[in-house]
Amino acid sequence: MKTLVWSSSFTRAFRRAIRRQLRLRARAEHTLRQLATDPFHPSLHSHKLKGELTGVWACTVDYDNRILFEIVQNPESGEEEIHLLTMGTHDEVY
């Protein structure tokens, strides 16, 4: 299981998204658990982004919502971590 590191921008985006759609919280929490367990599970539809977002990955929360993240190595422990960058609708995050 990988460690999820919440950035301040992800925290704000997460709170804003679940305020707008109350049912989104459970789906987002399930997606985060799945992401920590297996970031490339087929249900997440994880894919690498191109262009300005090169090096960033995206996964699907539901039909319209996405989470952007990076997989980085922790310099102290040497283990891979998932840095959560932002969350929102397709149009908001891309």
Side-chain angles (χ1 to χ4, degrees), residues 3 7 28 30-31 38 42 49 53-54 59 68 73 82 84 87:
T3 302
S7 68
H30 174 75
T31 300
D38 179 7
L49 302 178
L53 297 172
T54 298
C59 71
L68 299 188
Q73 192 168 16
I82 298 175
L84 303 170
M87 176 181 166

Side-chain angles (χ1 to χ4, degrees), residues 1-47:
M1 182 173 277
K2 297 188 185 327
T3 302
L4 298 179
V5 179
W6 291 45
S7 68
S8 58
S9 60
F10 180 81
T11 303
R12 282 191 307 274
F14 180 82
R15 287 181 184 154
R16 183 177 59 243
I18 63 172
R19 250 187 275 126
R20 285 188 306 210
Q21 301 176 30
L22 297 177
R23 295 183 195 168
L24 183 61
R25 181 183 195 114
R27 285 181 286 202
E29 289 174 348
H30 174 75
T31 300
L32 291 170
R33 282 191 301 275
Q34 184 68 47
L35 192 60
T37 304
D38 179 7
F40 302 107
H41 190 275
S43 67
L44 296 175
H45 303 282
S46 296
H47 57 284

